[in-house]
Every structure is written in C-alpha cells, then in structure tokens.
C-alpha cells in the first residue's frame, strides 16, 4: 500500500456513484463505512463488496444523527433522478438539509474532512452558459424540482457556514449529469431510459422538442474527480464543477444511442417536465487548474460501455432486482 489507510464514511454508498466510490476507496486500501437507507438502491447492489474485510454497510437514514468514528466523509446520500427525488419531496429536502447538518456535526466532533456531492441543479435553468462557479443560478423555489435544487443549495450554505464558523475542512463539488454501468434501469434518467428503450426496440421518449442540452460525464472520470477534490489542499473548498463539457441536445443523444445500439427504435416526443433546464454545460477551468482534473472518456466510448452493461442486465432479469426501485 502506498498511502496511509484511512477510515472513510460514504453516505449514499449503495447508490450509483457511491458504489463506484466505495470500490475505488477499498482498492486504495482504506476502510469504508457505507451509510445508506436504500431509498433509491438496494443492499444487493453492493453484493460484491459485502464480504470485503475492510467494507462495512450500515442501514441508516442521514436525517438522523450518526455517531461513528471516521477520518473523511463523502456525503452523497440523496436521490438524484427527478423520478426518485419527486417521489417524496419532503424527504428529499430533509435528506439534503438535515443530512448535511448531521454529517457536518459528525465532521465537527471528529475534526474530519467532509465532501458534499452538490449538483449542477444549483444553477437551475441557467442564464449563464457554460456555467461557471461564480454564477448564482436561476432556480424556482416552489416548483416540483425545488426540493432537490433548494435542498442542495441549502446544504452548500451549511457547508460554508460550518467552514466559516467552525473552521471545518470542507469540499463542495457540483456534479453535472453522470452516467455509466450500475445506473438504475428504471430511475427515469435520460441515458438509462434511452439505452433500455433502444435495446428493447421500444420508442425513445424525447421530452419536449429535444433541443434542450446536457453534458454527460462517464462515471470513472467523475469518481476520480471526487477523490482528487478530497485529497486537495485544505484551502480548496470549492465549489468546483465536475462534469464533461461535451454538450449535446437530447435529440442528438437519442440518435447517437440508436446508432450505437443498432436499434430499430423510433423517436417519439412527450411533454417537457416543468422547469426542465434548457441548457447545461460545465466550465471546468477550476477543476483543471486546482485539481489537475479533466474527463478522459469520450461520450461514444462511455455510452458503448454503458450499453454493454444494460445489454447484460436485460439478458439476466435476476440481476435487475439488484439495482433498486
Ligand atoms: P442514487 O440515487 O443512485 O444514490 C443515492 C443514494 O443515497 C442511494 O443509495 C439512496 O438509497 C441513498 N439515500 C437517499 N436518501 C438517503 C437518506 N436519507 N439516508 C441515507 N441514504 C440515503 O444517485 P447517484 O447518482 O449515485 O447520486 C449520488 C449523489 O450525487 C447525490 O447526492 C446526487 O445528488 C449527486 N449527483 C449525482 C448526479 C448524477 O448525474 N448521477 C449529478 C449531480 C449530483
Ligand atoms: N451529530 C451527529 N454525529 C456526531 C455529532 C453531531 O450526527 O458525531 C449531529 C447532531 O445530531 C447535531 C448535528 O449533528 O444535531 C449538528 O451538530 P453540531 O455540533 O453542529 O450542533 P449542535 O449539536 O450544537 O446542535
Ligand atoms: N429526458 C428525455 N427523455 C427521457 C428522460 C429525460 O428527453 O426519457 C430529458 C429531460 O427532460 C432532460 C434531460 O433529458 O431535459 C435530462 O434528464 P435527466 O432526468 O436525466 O436529468 P436532469 O434533468 O436532472 O439533468
């Protein structure tokens, strides 16, 4: 082992990003305590880690206090797909806000370093494009997405107030749309929806006119960014954007996935959800300069790996139960 082994808490560790992060930290020789209430995941999603001698899984809701010992905390607990976070919006806000307070209280008691998985959604439907960290955003405080957006914004406020008031070592990253193996096939996010539809030969459901844009980051790049941020110097608090600036419209994404799958699916349109942001692309100058980070997996390559994953998953329905709602 080249680095000292640490005790690391990953909240939301059973989820899509969390499970990849737990794997990386275990591979580096750390002890990992995964905290999750399985709101949008299952215990079986971590089946391959359960027997690992340095891995521990604790079913726990972060809206309740947590008394454990740890050196670092990655706070990822929060449903991330609109379908999941709008399922119980009050619980979503509680998870972001009470969860942040509890994890910050834990970090304060122990003097531990703590990283918050914030989101590009703090920019709302952005009037500044691409999004720079200095932009304060354009967020509806009372719409169906607000439980997520405002919860995450309030969590950022709490992180910076604990930093200023209690000198906590904080790290805030704003994650842009991320995709890859182990996404939930039915959580409603666009990449998983389109791939599953294309593989099944079902209609591809483009919302609105499909001219809205997103920028998609492959999961291994994102996890590397989270880790670099946690290892960065204490004066690097963020917020820092992490994402892949390769931007495309949802119609272009649908067509690319149809081509890569070799599918016979047709594109159909469905109503655009309320407050759906029209454009999104990260400016990652800060991540490049401060973390030496930039994504390395182009979209075609990442999509091909993700298609392989879903192809295997759909061929083995028993696996589908392993990955959540
Ligand atoms: P996910 O839904 O797969 O994982 C979230 C995990 O948090 C799940 O395992 C869920 O059960 C758990 N959780 C939810 N509420 C909890 C609670 N109250 N207590 C304990 N555990 C709880 O989502 P993901 O894509 O892995 O996202 C992880 C984090 O990254 C989230 O905080 C999300 O907001 C953020 N993020 C993700 C993306 C993305 O594109 N994947 C983009 C921006 C931000
Ligand atoms: N907390 C926790 N684990 C700890 C320490 C604190 O979950 O190891 C929670 C505790 O429930 C508290 C919250 O974190 O409500 C905030 O803690 P802090 O010390 O900042 O505030 P206080 O305890 O004064 O409310
Ligand atoms: N979207 C779509 N068809 C789908 C699911 C989503 O066209 O089946 C669109 C959605 O309206 C949004 C974009 O794809 O404009 C990204 O949606 P997702 O829920 O993945 O992420 P978010 O909106 O949180 O960025």
């Amino acid at each position: 082992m080249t680095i000292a082994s640490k005790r690391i808490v990953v909240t939301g560790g059973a989820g899509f990003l969390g499970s990849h992060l737990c794997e990386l930290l275990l591979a580096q020789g750390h002890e990992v305590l995964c905290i999750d209430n399985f709101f949008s995941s299952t215990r079986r999603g971590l089946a391959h880690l359960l027997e690992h001698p340095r891995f521990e899984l604790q079913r726990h809701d972060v809206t309740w206090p947590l008394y454990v010992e740890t050196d670092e905390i990655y706070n990822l607990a929060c449903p991330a797909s609109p379908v999941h976070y709008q399922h119980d919006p009050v619980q979503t806000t509680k998870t972001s806000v009470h969860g942040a307070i509890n994890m910050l209280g834990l970090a304060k008691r122990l003097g531990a370093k703590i990283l918050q998985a914030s989101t590009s959604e703090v920019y709302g439907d952005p009037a500044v494009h691409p999004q720079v960290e200095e932009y304060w955003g354009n967020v509806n405080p009372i719409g169906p997405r607000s439980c997520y957006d405002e919860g995450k914004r309030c969590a950022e406020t709490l992180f910076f107030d604990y930093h200023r008031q209690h000198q906590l070592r904080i790290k805030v990253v704003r994650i842009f749309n991320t995709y890859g193996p182990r996404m939930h096939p039915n959580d409603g996010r666009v990449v998983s929806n389109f791939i599953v539809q294309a593989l099944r030969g079902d209609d591809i459901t483009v919302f609105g006119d499909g001219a809205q844009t997103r920028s998609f980051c492959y999961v291994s790049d994102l996890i590397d960014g989270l880790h670099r941020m946690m290892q960065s110097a204490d004066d690097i608090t963020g917020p820092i954007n992490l994402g892949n600036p390769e931007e495309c419209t949802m119609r272009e994404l649908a067509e690319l996935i149809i081509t890569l799958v070799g599918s016979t699916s047709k594109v159909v349109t469905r109503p655009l959800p309320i407050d759906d942001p029209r454009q999104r692309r990260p400016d990652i100058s800060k991540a490049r300069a401060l973390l030496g980070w930039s994504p390395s997996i182009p979209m075609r390559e990442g999509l091909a790996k993700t298609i392989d994953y879903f192809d295997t998953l759909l061929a083995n329905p028993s696996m589908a139960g392993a990955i959540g709602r």
Side-chain angles (χ1 to χ4, degrees):
M1 222 183 301
T2 52
I3 43 175
S5 174
K6 289 180 234 167
R7 293 163 305 177
I8 303 180
V9 162
V10 179
T11 76
F16 164 50
L17 297 182
S19 65
H20 285 278
L21 178 62
C22 289
E23 272 177 13
L24 175 78
L25 297 173
L26 287 170
Q28 291 180 337
H30 301 298
E31 283 178 37
V32 175
L33 172 56
C34 168
I35 302 290
D36 208 296
N37 70 347
F38 307 119
F39 179 82
S40 53
S41 59
T42 67
R43 191 172 183 278
R44 282 176 296 162
L46 290 170
H48 60 301
L49 299 182
L50 292 176
E51 297 305 317
H52 194 291
R54 282 181 277 100
F55 183 74
E56 196 181 338
L57 175 60
Q58 185 172 332
R59 179 191 282 264
H60 175 83
D61 183 329
V62 293
T63 63
W64 296 95
L66 176 70
Y67 287 86
V68 294
E69 304 306 309
T70 187
D71 303 307
E72 290 176 355
I73 303 164
Y74 287 85
N75 188 34
L76 271 60
C78 186
S81 102
V83 171
H84 281 170
Y85 71 64
Q86 290 173 22
H87 174 74
D88 186 348
V90 173
Q91 172 68 11
T92 298
T93 304
K94 284 185 185 172
T95 293
S96 279
V97 177
H98 293 187
I101 291 172
N102 288 326
M103 292 311 106
L104 287 161
L106 174 65
K108 181 181 140 202
R109 176 173 66 79
L110 300 170
K113 219 186 318 183
I114 180 165
L115 178 145
Q116 169 66 359
S118 191
T119 169
S120 53
E121 287 280 327
V122 300
Y123 301 119
D125 188 7
V128 169
H129 193 73
Q131 289 77 58
V132 287
E133 289 86 350
E134 290 74 21
Y135 177 50
W136 291 350
N138 174 31
V139 176
N140 176 357
I142 57 167
R145 295 177 88 97
S146 312
C147 58
Y148 185 72
D149 301 9
E150 296 290 18
K152 290 285 190 180
R153 285 169 67 95
C154 184
E156 287 199 10
T157 307
L158 286 160
F159 268 68
F160 278 87
D161 281 335
Y162 268 80
H163 175 63
R164 285 185 287 257
Q165 205 173 323
H166 300 300
Q167 292 73 52
L168 233 64
R169 291 179 297 157
I170 61 157
K171 306 278 176 190
V172 176
V173 292
R174 293 182 177 154
I175 302 171
F176 285 63
N177 298 61
T178 301
Y179 70 99
R182 249 182 259 151
M183 289 184 90
H184 313 221
N186 52 356
D187 76 1
R189 283 188 261 196
V190 70
V191 172
S192 43
N193 267 15
F194 284 3
I195 292 179
V196 169
Q197 289 164 343
L199 286 169
R200 289 187 169 142
D202 293 344
D203 290 344
I204 308 270
T205 53
V206 167
F207 296 167
D209 61 6
Q212 70 273 35
T213 68
R214 294 293 187 272
S215 306
F216 296 97
C217 185
Y218 189 66
V219 61
S220 57
D221 281 332
L222 195 279
I223 299 299
D224 176 45
L226 292 183
H227 182 251
R228 281 174 189 248
M229 182 62 171
M230 186 62 110
Q231 302 320 311
S232 63
D234 284 352
D235 62 343
I236 300 180
T237 57
I240 289 190
N241 291 337
L242 289 181
N244 189 329
E246 212 180 325
E247 182 180 6
C248 68
T249 68
M250 294 310 98
R251 197 165 271 278
E252 286 165 349
L253 178 70
E255 274 149 21
L256 177 57
I257 289 176
I258 288 173
T259 305
L260 291 175
V261 169
S263 173
T264 54
S265 292
K266 300 272 171 292
V267 171
V268 297
T269 55
R270 295 279 179 269
L272 189 68
I274 296 170
D275 293 338
D276 199 282
R278 277 162 301 156
Q279 52 182 1
R280 188 181 288 158
R281 171 155 59 100
D283 180 316
I284 58 165
S285 314
K286 279 207 167 65
R288 281 185 206 277
L290 298 174
L291 308 179
W293 179 85
S294 61
S296 64
I297 310 277
M299 190 132 131
R300 276 178 173 266
E301 187 183 331
L303 284 176
K305 291 175 198 265
T306 312
I307 290 166
D308 281 350
Y309 167 77
F310 278 113
D311 199 20
T312 308
L313 189 76
L314 296 182
N316 298 280
S318 61
M319 274 174 70
I323 44 176
R325 281 164 189 270

